[in-house]
Each structure stands twice: as C-alpha cells, then as structure tokens.
Amino acid sequence: MGLKQLLIDVWSPLNYKPVYNDGDRGMPHRRAFPEAAATWVPPADERRLAAYKLLAAYDKNQAGELAEFRDGPEARDRREFGDPSMYIEAILAHVLGREQRIVVPGAEQASDEQSAEAKAAARVEELLTTWAKDELLTMRVIQCERKSVSLGDGVYLLNWDPAKRRARCRVYDPGLYFPVLPEDGDADFPTRVHLAWELPEDKVRRLKPRLRRITYELDWIGPATASGITPDGRPVRAPVLTDPTDDAPAQPVLGLGDTIDPASGTILRQYPWNDEPTAYTCYLTDATWNLEDLKYPHDVDNLPLDKAVFGTGLDGEVLDRLDLMIDFIPVIHVPNTVPEAEEHWGQSSLLKPLQIFDEIAGTDTDSSKASATTGSPLITVSGRPASNKQAAMTINPGQVIEVGENGRMDVLNTAPMLAELRNHAEYLGDRAATIARLPAVALGTTDPSKVPSGYALEISLGPLDALIGAMRLARAHKYRLLLKFVQRLHIAGQHPDWIGVTPLDAEYAFGPYTPADKAAVLTQVAEAFKAGVISLETAVRMLREAGWPIEDIEDEITRIQARRFEDARALADATGSTKAVGNYLGIDFEPDPTPPTPQLPPGGPAGEDDEDDEDDEETPA
C-alpha cells in the first residue's frame, strides 16, 4: 500500500468526492469512470475526463447514480431537485446577455462621405452577420457556452464546406478534445490537436469497437501529395513525382503557387491574408483503429499508423495528412475562466459551491422523509379497550377508536423539525449563491417589491458584475479568433462575395445582462448629448444597451438626422454646402438656380439728370 498523494490542480475541488478521489493515488474510481481509464487516454487527461463526467452528472441530477458505483445502492437514496442546473442556466444567461451581435470597429461610421476603411469595415460586418444567420451561430454559441459554464471548457471546430460554399461551425464536447501541450506550458496555441472518441460495436455491419481520431497539425509545408491505395487496399496519400528522365530521377512536385527559399531550402507559400510568405500549413488526418489493436504504451498522440484506416472526404480526397492550404488550426478552445499561469483549462462554475449542493441534496432528502411523518404522523393509543380488540390498527378519517378507562391517544408532531430543515435548506441556498457570486436578483428569487431602490439593486449586483466581467474577458479573444478564422476560410474557399476582402478584427459582442431603468438611462443620455459630452452614435448605443428597441444603430442615426432641420440649417450656415445638408438629412435635392443679375437702365438711376439740369440753370452767365 503506497503513500497517499495530495493532488492540487484545476479539478482538485472535487477531491472531497470519494468516487473521484479513490484510493491512495487520488485517481478517479475505475468502474465509475471507465472512459477516463481507457488505454488510449493519456494519464494526464484521466482526472480531466472524470471531472467532466462528474460535473455532467450533477447537471443531469445523476450524482447519486454515479456514486452508486463505489458506495452501493444506498447512494441513490438522495433527492436531486436541479439546483446545479439552475445555477448553470442563470450564469449562462448572464454571460450571453439579452442579445449578441457581431461588431467590426469602424463599421458604424460608414457612409458615402466616409473613408474606404469605414466602408470596408461595414462590408466585413455585413458578410459576417449573413454567415452567422445562415450557420445559426447563436445556437452554436449557446451550445458551446453551456458546456463551458458547466464543465469548464468548450470547443469549436471550423471547416470549409464546398457544397454549401461557407464555413461550417460545430461544437464538440471538451472530453473529446486532446491538445498536445508543451511540458513547460509556454505556448499561445497548441500546434497539434486531436479530437478522439470511441465507436461502439456494430453487429449489423460487423464492425468491432473502434477509436476515431481527427488530428489537426501545424507543420512545415511539404511537396504535393495525391490520394492512393496500398497493395492491401488501404487508402493513403502518396507524394506526386515528376516523370523520370535519363538525366534525373523522379522529383517531388511542389504545390500550386509554392516556392522554395534558396537560403534555407524550405517551401514557402503566400496566403492572401498575410503580408509575407510562410513555411507552415495545417494538415488534417481522420482515421479509425480497432480497440483490440491498441495496446500499451500507445496513447491518443502516438497511435500506430500501420493499424489505421484513413477516412475519405466528400471530394474523394484521402484524409491522411491532407494539406488544408491554411496556416492555422481551425479549433478554438473556450475556457470558462481565465486559466491560471501555465494552465490551459478553465474551471467550471459548479466547482466551488459543489459541496453545498451535496448538503442541499442531503437536506432535501431528510426533508422528504420528515414530510412523510408530518403528513401521516405516528399515533399511539394507550388503554385497553372494553372490546379487547387488536392493539395494532390503521387509523382512517372519521374512524371512532375505542379506548379503555383513562385511555389516551398521542400524535408525534414532526412539523417543527420539517420547518427547521426547510430553513436550513434556504440558508444553504443563500450560502451557495454567495460563493457562486450570484445575488438573489440574478437567480430570480427576489421579491421585486422588497427592493428598496435602484441604487441598492445596483450595489447588490456588484459581485455579479465582477464575475461576468472576468468570464467575458476569458472569451473575448477566443471569439475574435473564431471570426478571424471564418474570414480566412471564406477567402481560402474563394467565395465570390469575399473576393478582394481583407480580413479585419471583429468582435462577438454580448449584450447587457442587468435590469436597467430605461427612463433613467434616457434622461442621462439626453442630458449628456445636449451638453455635447457624447456623440449621437454613443447616445444611440447606450439606449440600445439599456433595452430600447433599436435594431440597427446606423439606420437609427439616419432616421434621427432626417428630422433635425434646425441642425441642418446650422450646417448650411456653417458650410454653405447644400450637398452636405442633403447628406445629413439623407435626401437628394437640387439647389435653387442662381437668380439672374439685375439689369439697370443706361444712364444711371432716375433723378440724377434732373439734378444736373437744375444746377445748370442756377449758374450765372
């Protein structure tokens, strides 16, 4: 028997669970988590995969069922009423906000008079918004974010679909995600990523249990390859060679547009989104193995390729290190929290209050048992009846019970104990909300009539503001990366709408999550705009964030300016340009023609000749 080990990592808050921290090694129970103990799973990922399953069990009200593997059937005798799931839904709703939209900086100022940069930003924002609607991006974000909040991590996979002519976005369970991380943890992004899962036996198709692995790897650009078949019928990729001649043997062929750097001998490729050529590309491998062929010491990163069966894409290309003609791995890992230094994984929002959820489940179980004795109390009858009937009986409504002389009937009242259990459950709920930094108003358990003022409400939301701010910070860069990859995939796929478009920084903006006083916000915005301390664009954006029904900020500004005639008159006085006034009002009009110059009669104005005649008459001879 070895010495007991103390493990401290991202998932160590689960160590108090015997089913998760079983034995001296501190590793998960093998019968409860057989997936994590598979031979192909790296030892470093065993606790991570077990943590995902344990957290998912709490989310699905199956924690007792999972504990049964170690503690026996009595572990299932617990009430689980969905408190963890309620917390997940509440946090998810606040992280996402009331609405989400794609924002490209500078797109709001686009107009006929603006610069080419603003018009390009508006064009990219329009294309990305159209793609998001076609791809149902909002639903994909909800799917991924729910996994991220509940499990601690979420995974997006992007790929180009030639049939639909757009980038596809899929969400994967983080338990299928196996990045190859350096030992020192000092890496911005992994250069090799696996998505792997087991396939069950298919007796109808006579297929044995298998392991499927999809690998994306960033590596040096190599010579061109083509699909082929080995003598035993296995699909593979083989180098493309030139025809040999008498003077030279067959030589590898470069890919279309690739060049060789004379100084280093590496193959370079110019991507349309880079300023300079690069020597890297992304390779895709999709293969399956029979589980019986995988023996120790093989794990997911070093499976025997001679046992692999490579897949084939819809275009007939064998997926054996297929060159995707991109210089990035289209897999985006979304952590729930900002990872600790030299860490890659996020932390679930359930980890810290999880012990309290166990206490709540235990209290609910005791309360359920106590309510049974309260509704059907224990009754004792003393005194021998004259009829000498059986002492044990069942008491029904309206029944008359005969007792002997000095007989009595006593009822065991368990209502006070039930009330105390319910009070304790409320206390535990408040404690869990405090630890999770979710005030009662965020959970929807506050009586609105008991809120003293809007200022008091704002103060109570302080912990929630800090929580959501940190969680959105952990996601901001990931969604900028996702939208950047979407732009590059459309350009690499040569979509006609993206020809000549330069990828720009884009953000996936989450909406406001706190209740807002619309009237107070309107007063604040109106006074600030009137004082000239904020622009019209900022004012409209603030109203939209407060919940006012403004669909498009640019269109709203155009409609507002079309009715501000006093400002248009001031613009005309300041510039003297009717074109500027027309652009401001959003109308096209022809200015009044220039009036003709007045034509005076010859000889000057009337009366001047008469005055000259009078002067002549008065002059002496």
Side-chain angles (χ1 to χ4, degrees), residues 58-70:
Y58 273 88
D59 183 22
K60 306 298 182 183
N61 293 347
Q62 293 180 288
E65 184 178 348
L66 186 63
E68 182 183 4
F69 286 96
R70 183 188 184 278

Side-chain angles (χ1 to χ4, degrees), residues 398-466:
Q399 181 179 356
V400 178
I401 301 175
E402 181 182 0
V403 297
E405 186 178 358
N406 296 326
R408 55 181 294 179
M409 183 176 65
D410 297 311
V411 179
L412 180 62
N413 183 15
T414 59
M417 293 180 288
L418 178 61
E420 182 60 28
L421 286 172
R422 290 178 175 175
N423 292 335
H424 185 58
E426 292 182 3
Y427 162 76
L428 291 175
D430 294 339
R431 185 73 178 272
T434 301
I435 294 176
R437 292 191 288 178
L438 280 178
V441 64
L443 293 172
T445 58
T446 299
D447 186 356
S449 62
K450 296 183 180 180
V451 179
S453 65
Y455 182 69
L457 176 63
E458 184 177 355
I459 293 178
S460 68
L461 292 174
L464 180 64
D465 292 338

